[in-house]
Amino acid sequence: MATGTVRKGDPNWWRGAVIYQVYPRSFQDTSGDGIGDLQGITARLPHIASLGVDAIWLSPFFTSPMADMGYDVSDYCNVDPMFGTLADFDAMMAECERLGLKVIIDQVISHTSDQHPWFVESRASRTNPRADWYIWADPKPDGTAPNNWLSIFGGPAWEWDGVRKQYYMHNFLSSQPDLNFHNPDVQDAVLATVKFWLDRGVHGFRLDTVNYYFHDKQLRNNPPMVYDPDSTGLETDTNPYSMQHHLYDKSQPENIDFLKRLRALLDRYDCRTTVGEVGDADRSLTTLAIYTSGNDKLHMCYTFDLLSPRFTADHIRGVVSKCQEIVTNGWVCWAFSNHDVVRHVSRFMQAPEEREPIAKIAISVLSTLRGSICLYQGEELGLPEAELSFEDLRDPYGIRFWPAFKGRDGCRTPMVWEADQPLGGFSAGPKAWLPVPPEHLPLAVSAQDGIETSILAHYRETLAFRRAHGALLDGDMTFLDTQADLLAFVREKGGERLLFVFNLTREAQDYLLPVSLADCYPLPMPGYNPPVEDKVVRLAPFDVFCARL
């Protein structure tokens, strides 16, 4: 069985690491209540290890009223009974250790649940010890909100509280009030919760909305977003949030010092890491560069640049080239899917028959990029986005903007393990928290395991290929000009130089090897071995050429 032990004990294990995201609600249910749990994750860890990944990332499992599926935390230092107990977490950690898997947990510290004791106390009066632990502001003389800031989940980012007779800020749901990081006591309390999990052995943290921690103390209005009418036009994505240029409600300079405090805490422990989620529109890569520079803040970050519907050579080359230009002293983590976006095979394919070739070439591209990579549960099976009815939705974001935006539940449906089970082996109960799409059942692990041509086998082989070549972990990356619509680049480290050419189009393409690369030796990637005739590589649609230089 493949494991992530190849870099065990290396403090830089995270550079070039492959991280597998587990969405606990939807991974494996052992209690029969239709909701995944920690014991279920433990039971299925051998599957994750078989892929050859280095770490798992667990979406939130903390105590929560679940208004936003656990991203509204009411106790940072305990497990919600829905998922099990701290003892279950410890057992999962022990099994991860046995299998050589590191554990990264979601740390949601920009906001809490309104049921967190901190907020309960804060809203009780203007004079209590935690009165300024959250962002409170007086109304304008006419009673309206302090400024024009908007919530991502719709409406103003301000909610009126009748007890304090003030507004409080919330970037997401009104039941997710934002913490006031300008208060050093808040920072201390948050870091204490981080330390709790470090002491319990976790190897790192995925930091939710890491650039949202601080707000502008003056509460200045955000200006409107200015769009170039000759390029994208006005793209609101059905949500007016994107009509503002978010200069003042996130990505504030004070965040730098807090991230340094966080890093100093992690540096007291061996082999720990952080990966920040940066959502900052056109500033995302600049913010990423700042947050990961200098070896004293975050280890790595990811942005949403490759989580778009575009799967073309131009787009990928443009994003990665810009990243290399801007992020000169930091590290990026790439992904095509996660729990917040439509599954990438559905975003990229134009017809059902393209699902399998796109699923395969997508992981081949991802595994050769410079950076660490994240995989989302089920993508190793090529699962498409689930089509759900409004009555099935649980995501407040989707419920708010239906039908223009269907929410995030379509990528969060349960993992399918057994093709011949009604709920795909996810649960022995009568019903899952979200429906298991019938079209997912034939793609279950049991249906693909042991099949040499399956997507699952392709993932295992491709990740093994990545591990076998040090140039792919943290080597340099240089893009090459092409005579056609192809993605071509060289990865190199030490004496190893590898050429990759990807045809992401639906037509056959020829790649003429440059004179400088003419003396190369084909090194077939798993699943691909196009012919070379007179220094011309003949690439079929969704084909890949690899050579050793």
Side-chain angles (χ1 to χ4, degrees), residues 361-373:
I361 198 170
I363 184 58
S364 299
V365 171
L366 195 65
S367 68
T368 55
L369 298 181
R370 175 175 166 79
S372 303
I373 63 175

Side-chain angles (χ1 to χ4, degrees), residues 169-207:
M169 179 185 170
H170 59 93
N171 271 301
F172 300 92
L173 295 174
S174 61
S175 59
Q176 293 171 296
D178 279 78
L179 285 162
N180 178 19
F181 274 76
H182 290 289
N183 185 333
D185 292 339
V186 170
Q187 295 186 31
D188 291 345
V190 164
L191 291 174
T193 70
V194 173
K195 185 177 186 301
F196 174 87
W197 293 105
L198 286 169
D199 290 341
R200 215 164 192 98
V202 303
H203 303 93
F205 302 91
R206 180 264 188 184
L207 297 163

